[in-house]
Amino acid sequence: MTTAQLQGAYGFSISGNPNFTNIGYMTQTHVNNYGGSHGLEHMEKFVSFSAFHNSPIQDPDRKCHPGTRLGVLNRIRNWFNNTTSAERAFWLHGPAGAGKSAIAQTIARSCNQGQVAATFFFYRSDTSRNDGNCLFTTIAWQLAFLIPGVKDHIARALDRRPDLPRMDVETQFEEFILRPFQALKNVSTHLRSHVVIIDGVDECIDDKLQRRFLKLIGNAIKDNHIPLRFLICSRPEAHIQETIDRFPKPNLQIDLASLDDANHDIEKYLKDEFSRIASEQDLDSTTWPGHEKIQQVIYKSSGQFIYASTVIRCVSDEYNSAVAQLDIILGLKPPSSKSPFAELDALFMDILERQPDQAFLMTFLALLVARLSITPDSNQRAGNDDFHLDDAMVMNVSEYELHRKLRFFARFVSFWPILHGPRNRTKTIPRLNHRFSCSVRRENNQTA
């Protein structure tokens, strides 16, 4: 619009959100004034900027060590690059400390600009990142600045209803994501496919809200008008799995607990990091820490990077001897102050406290501690021991009910299938995270 178009006009004012249309010979001019620099001011304070993958709050070291997780990263990248893939959702899951966030961060930071449309990294102990009510406003904000047409539609919606960011997640998803893309699809048949990364779904403080926003995503990917695909990372919580299982097929999944290359990757990570520490502390890397001690750390990691990274963080403390710190970790000498794994133990205890059926939890943990006292290595089991059946009988519940309740322990336990009985029926036995079993035993000793 030019000043010439209003030349000679008087006695009027322009306010609100005017939309001028000048229809001339093969010409249309649309002028929008949303009352601000970008029209999204009403949304801004409901956006969790800390949840962006590249926000300054994110841990810069939370990424895959070079040369590790190559199989998982390649599978995800291949899915990213195949914009016509029939699978519109990819669920990456694994127990606490398996490295999900590191993988998600590595993917988000390494993809080409525009491939990742938006990111949200939940974190339970940070109030700026644990509220699922901010999920879709945060995603919509990022989409708006990536896709101009989306921003125009969101700005118009906010001008009509400035209170939309205060509405429920269903309304937010409808107004900020579905309708803008549906409108764009009406004027363009060639919308580029983008990926949204949502990490740590289980870190959202409201389990019911987790179900609700996952259900919205599952419904949206049925709609070809929505050119979005979703990489979702979480622990294998029962309610999350049940919701994602209802997503339209096909979709992709990776269970980090079931992969065979975790120990190999942890070994590479430990060797590289111990070599770095040896160089920094003038140690002979050909003799320290040695093959046997590295293998001990790998074994105690139980396939989970969080244990290995905690070891390295402790051993690399510049104010202490790396040799002494590693001996403390391996139990060769007592700690001088608090346990090197205090934070990791606190993580496990926090998860246990969130189990809704505390009576069942206490009974099962008592059985678990008793079993550990008889067989300290919970991972070395005879294939014909049917622990589910024994525990069900002791706890006076059906084996089915016990199995349902034990889904909670997917945070700590890998359930591997074995063939059992004369007909070789498949059943599962638990393989406990080593650090978790240590935490349980110590907690039991402290409360006994």
Side-chain angles (χ1 to χ4, degrees):
M1 185 175 197
T2 66
T3 55
Q5 290 173 283
L6 294 178
Q7 189 172 3
Y10 63 92
F12 70 95
S13 63
I14 299 174
S15 62
N17 178 24
N19 187 348
F20 296 98
T21 302
N22 174 35
I23 303 177
Y25 179 69
M26 298 295 289
T27 303
Q28 282 194 349
T29 304
H30 295 275
V31 179
N32 297 303
N33 173 21
Y34 297 116
S37 59
H38 47 63
L40 306 184
E41 287 75 17
H42 293 302
M43 178 188 283
E44 189 165 356
K45 66 180 179 180
F46 298 94
V47 174
S48 177
F49 294 100
S50 299
F52 290 12
H53 74 277
N54 54 358
S55 82
I57 288 181
Q58 299 291 346
D59 182 358
D61 295 326
R62 183 170 286 184
K63 56 187 177 183
C64 296
H65 184 73
T68 65
R69 296 299 199 190
L70 296 181
V72 175
L73 293 172
N74 285 337
R75 283 186 62 185
I76 297 175
R77 284 172 178 148
N78 289 339
W79 176 71
F80 262 68
N81 293 331
N82 183 9
T83 58
T84 60
S85 171
E87 297 89 1
R88 310 230 1 236
F90 198 130
W91 184 31
L92 176 70
H93 59 93
K100 302 176 294 295
S101 293
I103 292 170
Q105 278 282 357
T106 301
I107 289 292
R109 292 178 180 274
S110 64
C111 284
N112 296 329
Q113 186 176 11
Q115 270 190 308
V116 178
T119 57
F120 196 107
F121 281 70
F122 282 101
Y123 195 71
R124 181 172 289 267
S125 60
D126 183 348
T127 55
S128 69
R129 291 184 281 167
N130 65 8
D131 186 0
N133 290 299
C134 295
L135 174 62
F136 294 135
T137 50
T138 302
I139 290 174
W141 178 276
Q142 295 170 81
L143 292 173
F145 288 95
L146 178 69
I147 307 169
V150 169
K151 181 168 73 172
D152 291 342
H153 286 280
I154 293 175
R156 280 197 288 272
L158 287 169
D159 189 69
R160 291 192 303 269
R161 290 288 306 275
D163 60 345
L164 281 176
R166 299 180 184 275
M167 300 294 103
D168 57 35
V169 292
E170 288 80 9
T171 302
Q172 291 179 25
F173 194 75
E174 175 77 19
E175 295 290 343
F176 296 150
I177 296 176
L178 287 185
R179 289 189 177 181
F181 277 116
Q182 287 169 347
L184 288 180
K185 193 69 175 180
N186 291 335
V187 297
S188 173
T189 57
H190 301 290
L191 290 178
R192 180 182 173 185
S193 174
H194 299 278
V195 176
V196 174
I197 299 176
I198 304 174
D199 177 68
V201 170
D202 52 280
E203 295 282 307
C204 169
I205 57 174
D206 186 336
D207 288 1
K208 291 182 179 178
L209 189 55
Q210 294 170 23
R211 283 183 181 269
R212 286 167 58 196
F213 65 65
L214 285 175
K215 182 179 178 181
L216 290 167
I217 291 170
N219 290 336
I221 60 178
K222 300 175 186 176
D223 187 349
N224 292 328
H225 289 92
I226 313 301
L228 297 177
R229 295 181 291 156
F230 292 84
L231 173 61
I232 299 167
C233 309
S234 76
R235 295 172 191 155
E237 309 283 0
H239 65 280
I240 293 176
Q241 179 165 358
E242 287 173 352
T243 307
I244 291 179
D245 282 347
R246 294 189 180 98
F247 278 19
K249 302 296 187 290
N251 56 53
L252 298 174
Q253 296 188 16
I254 292 181
D255 176 7
L256 293 177
S258 69
L259 300 183
D260 296 329
D261 59 354
N263 283 347
H264 176 270
D265 286 347
I266 289 173
E267 181 173 12
K268 174 173 175 51
Y269 167 72
L270 290 172
K271 286 182 176 179
D272 290 349
E273 289 299 294
F274 279 135
S275 178
R276 173 185 63 81
I277 294 168
S279 176
E280 292 173 351
Q281 297 203 13
D282 296 324
L283 301 170
D284 184 356
S285 61
T286 62
T287 59
W288 182 88
H291 176 76
E292 182 178 345
K293 289 184 177 179
I294 290 177
Q295 292 304 311
Q296 283 183 266
V297 177
I298 294 171
Y299 168 74
K300 291 187 174 185
S301 296
S302 302
Q304 296 182 301
F305 268 86
I306 193 171
Y307 183 94
S309 62
T310 302
V311 169
I312 294 301
R313 186 165 59 249
C314 176
V315 174
S316 62
D317 182 357
E318 60 184 340
Y319 299 107
N320 289 287
S321 160
V323 176
Q325 291 294 94
L326 184 57
D327 285 347
I328 290 172
I329 287 168
L330 296 177
L332 302 179
K333 62 181 294 186
S336 56
S337 57
K338 71 176 184 178
S339 164
F341 299 103
E343 292 183 9
L344 192 51
D345 293 340
L347 168 66
F348 290 142
M349 292 305 114
D350 175 67
I351 295 173
L352 287 176
E353 289 171 359
R354 299 205 300 270
Q355 157 69 336
D357 190 344
Q358 287 289 309
F360 165 82
L361 177 64
M362 292 301 103
T363 304
F364 184 76
L365 288 181
L367 286 172
L368 177 61
V369 170
R371 185 181 298 145
L372 291 172
S373 66
I374 298 171
T375 311
D377 182 2
S378 63
N379 293 333
Q380 293 178 355
R381 301 296 190 192
N384 59 358
D385 290 337
D386 198 334
F387 292 105
H388 280 200
L389 181 57
D390 292 344
D391 291 344
M393 293 174 63
V394 171
M395 298 179 73
N396 195 30
V397 296
S398 69
E399 191 173 2
Y400 172 78
E401 183 179 356
L402 177 63
H403 180 74
R404 293 281 297 177
K405 288 181 177 292
L406 281 180
R407 295 181 304 167
F408 171 81
F409 280 86
R411 301 164 168 102
F412 316 109
V413 183
S414 301
F415 289 99
W416 9 311
I418 62 170
L419 297 178
H420 173 66
R423 297 185 181 180
N424 282 336
R425 292 179 177 175
T426 301
K427 70 185 184 72
T428 58
I429 59 173
R431 182 176 189 242
L432 280 177
N433 172 286
H434 175 84
R435 189 65 218 165
F436 173 64
S437 64
C438 291
S439 299
V440 168
R441 276 185 291 210
R442 184 173 54 262
E443 189 74 9
N444 178 71
N445 293 335
Q446 291 175 353
T447 57

